[in-house]
Amino acid sequence: MKLNDLLKNISYTLLKGNLDTEINDIKYDSRKVAKNDIYVALVGYNNDGHNYIKDAIKNGANTIIISKIMDIKEDINVIKVEDTRMALAYLSKEYFNNPDEELTMIGVTGTTGKTTTTHMIKDILNNIGIKCGLIGSIGIKYNDKIIHTNNTTPESYEIFKYLKEMKDSGITHITMECSSQAFKLNRLAGIIFDIGVLTNLATDHIGPGEHESWDEYVSCKNKLFLNSKIVVSNNDSMHLDKVLKGVEVPIITYGIKNASDIKVSDIRLINEESFFGSEFTTTGLINDTFKTSIPGEFNVYNSLCSLAVMKSLNLDSSKAKDALIKVKVRGRMETALVTPKFKVLIDYAHTEDGMKELVKTLRAYNPTRLISVFGGGGNRPKERRYNLGEIIGGSSDLCIITEDNPRFESIESINNDIKVGLKKVNAKYIEIENRGDAIEYAITNAEDGDLILLVGKGHEEYQDIKGEKHHFSELEEIERIKNKINLEE
């Protein structure tokens, strides 16, 4: 493509060079630059792409996009913009021929629930014959493909690249996790969403490397709804006036407590030998009864949210029933093992609100015992570990503290911090350093009616130890233990 065509929706200053230049590709990593590429110098938390301009030129870049004045002597195109991340988004959108404009885009934001809700939406749509792809924290999923990504919401170049790939494969709808970080870093710039969805809002993600303040966090969430044609909102969430400020499009609300367009009138928790989950009845725009195999009130909210999305798409919500019963989300309140005697669940909870909701949810099923297997992340604030011990320990009958992702810290040091919280609530606990051994202990010592909760790893299939990622899958460990003790499901 020609450079001037790629730049047509960007405000810029041409410092030197010629806009009538043929461009091969767009890169923001200098190491990946090839002949006749554009190099976009992104400014991150730890790295500044402007420091790698010479490397990009050496590798063949014919155009450099900058946001700082640089002395570039080489005979190439140099273009200055106010924000290189914003520029990358619009360059990528144009380079991949605006694929978002030919897709039905469903953006989901919220402090928690994004992953589960996007999977529910995808599964329901696919179940009724609509080809839907997904972009989120567990990766990019469409048809039978899974592509792993590093961020909940990838960089804008990857977003538009995969949107085009999905569109070309016959996908018509996209459900996407839209993190507040993605809006802060302009990864979603240029996209107008057909439906913008709010799961909830809480006070996580404020601090170094995330958001400087609560106002900034809310402002970033608000961007989704200012760039949506229809809004689906949890009417029981806090701070709706701020997160929906300035929204002038139709809003469909859902809720359990407050008056809403789609409201739950009754919830029944089900803990049977062959089924673990919830059944709920809705009134308002949808009058029906549904079941979900992902347990707890919180996942009734997620189910309700996905049904509200169906309504906003003018689809028959009754066709969602089969999908809601079957839907499983890897590592999100995932029922990994069901036996006549006990059940094992895997969950990724690692925020304070997420952990509180998790243990509250499982206690509501009145297990004989709630046994929690968990550890803490290394090189993370100690406060999180104190809270982990206090929240999980305060609601569990037995805690088995073990390794998680120790990174560059010792497991002993991490567990000592967790014990501060455990002791605060007089929790009963044991230590088993190897996580596989800890899971095996929980399963082999389970009693009738127990719920065993594996907290923190979720969908991850590795342990981060001293800079290396070692393969570790909780599902594989459960399978190993089942075979070892001849466990019947």
Side-chain angles (χ1 to χ4, degrees):
M1 294 184 73
K2 293 287 187 181
L3 177 59
N4 56 0
D5 290 331
L6 290 173
L7 291 166
K8 63 185 180 183
N9 290 313
I10 299 171
S11 297
Y12 64 90
T13 302
L14 177 65
L15 299 182
K16 58 185 288 191
N18 178 9
L19 296 181
D20 188 32
T21 299
E22 199 73 32
I23 296 298
N24 180 51
D25 204 345
I26 304 163
K27 304 286 172 58
Y28 57 89
D29 184 335
S30 63
R31 297 165 296 184
K32 296 179 181 178
V33 170
K35 187 177 180 182
N36 294 332
D37 284 350
I38 293 177
Y39 172 65
V40 184
L42 302 184
V43 179
Y45 290 115
N46 301 312
N47 265 316
D48 186 342
H50 293 79
N51 297 332
Y52 303 98
I53 286 174
K54 288 190 179 297
D55 294 333
I57 295 171
K58 184 179 177 181
N59 289 337
N62 65 13
T63 301
I64 304 292
I65 309 284
I66 58 175
S67 59
K68 301 176 181 179
I69 295 295
M70 308 286 293
D71 183 17
I72 301 173
K73 295 183 170 60
E74 289 85 355
D75 184 22
I76 60 168
N77 306 312
V78 179
I79 294 166
K80 186 176 181 299
V81 297
E82 185 176 332
D83 184 338
T84 51
R85 287 187 178 276
M86 182 77 81
L88 177 64
Y90 280 96
L91 286 166
S92 302
K93 179 178 165 73
E94 200 63 43
Y95 180 75
F96 289 109
N97 200 26
N98 307 294
D100 55 305
E101 296 178 11
E102 298 180 58
L103 293 160
T104 298
M105 300 291 299
I106 304 164
V108 180
T109 198
T111 305
T112 54
K114 296 187 295 296
T115 303
T116 300
T117 301
T118 51
H119 277 77
M120 283 179 167
I121 293 167
K122 178 183 76 71
D123 286 0
I124 291 170
L125 288 175
N126 286 334
N127 195 59
I128 62 177
I130 294 172
K131 296 190 77 173
C132 182
L134 180 149
I135 299 176
S137 56
I138 300 179
I140 294 166
K141 298 183 178 183
Y142 68 99
N143 299 333
D144 294 323
K145 280 192 175 184
I146 300 177
I147 302 158
H148 295 289
T149 55
N150 293 324
N151 298 306
T152 298
T153 310
E155 194 53 80
S156 56
Y157 178 90
E158 279 71 37
I159 289 174
F160 287 107
K161 173 186 174 182
Y162 288 115
L163 288 179
K164 182 180 189 306
E165 191 174 297
M166 287 190 272
K167 179 184 74 70
D168 291 347
S169 76
I171 296 294
T172 59
H173 290 60
I174 301 292
T175 179
M176 181 190 298
E177 290 187 55
C178 300
S179 69
S180 53
Q181 284 289 95
F183 286 109
K184 180 177 180 176
L185 298 174
N186 286 320
R187 289 178 184 157
L188 295 163
I191 298 176
I192 300 298
F193 289 88
D194 293 276
I195 304 171
V197 179
L198 176 68
T199 60
N200 52 56
L201 200 65
T203 54
D204 288 315
H205 306 300
I206 314 298
E210 295 187 274
H211 293 282
E212 293 176 7
S213 67
W214 169 252
D215 286 343
E216 182 190 275
Y217 180 55
V218 173
S219 175
C220 287
K221 294 289 189 191
N222 177 246
K223 288 181 182 179
L224 171 61
F225 307 111
L226 294 178
N227 289 283
S228 295
K229 298 175 184 177
I230 298 173
V231 169
V232 168
S233 173
N234 178 352
N235 215 32
D236 294 343
S237 180
M238 300 185 295
H239 312 292
L240 288 178
D241 57 331
K242 294 179 180 177
V243 79
L244 298 178
K245 185 178 180 181
V247 173
E248 297 180 352
V249 298
I251 299 175
I252 294 177
T253 61
Y254 65 93
I256 296 174
K257 299 168 186 172
N258 295 328
S260 306
D261 295 320
I262 305 168
K263 190 175 187 304
V264 167
S265 60
D266 185 36
I267 300 175
R268 295 166 294 285
L269 305 182
I270 303 171
N271 185 2
E272 299 170 345
E273 279 193 14
S274 59
F275 185 82
F276 187 64
S278 307
E279 184 177 62
F280 61 95
T281 300
T282 61
T283 59
L285 293 179
I286 299 174
N287 293 280
D288 210 337
T289 298
F290 302 88
K291 270 187 176 182
T292 175
S293 56
I294 309 178
E297 182 182 275
F298 186 75
N299 286 299
V300 171
Y301 273 111
N302 293 333
S303 302
L304 198 56
C305 181
S306 61
L307 291 170
V309 169
M310 296 306 106
K311 195 68 182 178
S312 66
L313 290 169
N314 295 315
L315 297 172
D316 183 355
S317 58
S318 66
K319 294 181 179 178
K321 287 188 175 186
D322 288 344
L324 275 180
I325 291 174
K326 296 174 188 172
V327 70
K328 269 192 176 186
V329 184
R330 183 72 181 89
R332 267 52 175 195
M333 204 75 87
E334 179 182 9
T335 306
L337 180 62
V338 175
T339 77
K341 185 176 177 182
F342 64 89
K343 297 174 177 69
V344 181
L345 293 100
I346 297 174
D347 198 85
Y348 187 59
H350 55 283
T351 66
E352 189 172 332
D353 283 329
M355 290 185 291
K356 284 178 180 176
E357 188 60 45
L358 176 63
V359 289
K360 175 187 169 187
T361 291
L362 296 184
R363 286 252 63 114
Y365 283 87
N366 296 314
T368 303
R369 294 185 304 169
L370 178 59
I371 301 170
S372 299
V373 180
F374 64 98
N379 304 104
R380 295 294 185 267
K382 287 179 178 286
E383 189 68 31
R384 289 187 187 178
R385 299 173 197 163
Y386 304 153
N387 292 340
L388 178 64
E390 186 175 347
I391 294 167
I392 303 293
S395 293
S396 301
D397 299 288
L398 174 64
C399 294
I400 305 173
I401 53 175
T402 185
E403 59 191 344
D404 190 314
N405 288 321
R407 299 184 178 88
F408 292 94
E409 280 193 77
S410 72
I411 296 167
E412 181 183 12
S413 171
I414 294 167
N415 285 351
N416 283 340
D417 290 335
I418 293 173
K419 287 177 195 174
V420 172
L422 290 170
K423 290 172 181 176
K424 189 173 178 181
V425 291
N426 296 314
K428 182 180 179 181
Y429 70 90
I430 61 172
E431 288 182 77
I432 302 176
E433 185 171 304
N434 180 279
R435 194 174 182 100
D437 291 344
I439 296 169
E440 184 170 338
Y441 179 90
I443 289 175
T444 54
N445 289 278
E447 299 174 1
D448 284 346
D450 282 353
L451 289 179
I452 298 171
L453 173 62
L454 313 182
V455 190
K457 296 297 294 175
H459 63 283
E460 291 179 352
E461 295 196 339
Y462 64 85
Q463 286 181 319
D464 190 340
I465 304 170
K466 292 182 166 45
E468 290 187 23
K469 289 187 175 179
H470 302 265
H471 179 74
F472 181 85
S473 164
E474 290 186 324
L475 286 179
E476 289 174 14
E477 286 300 308
I478 291 168
E479 194 64 28
R480 173 186 68 79
I481 296 160
K482 275 170 52 184
N483 294 332
K484 181 178 177 180
I485 64 176
N486 295 317
L487 184 67
E488 292 185 9
E489 292 186 60

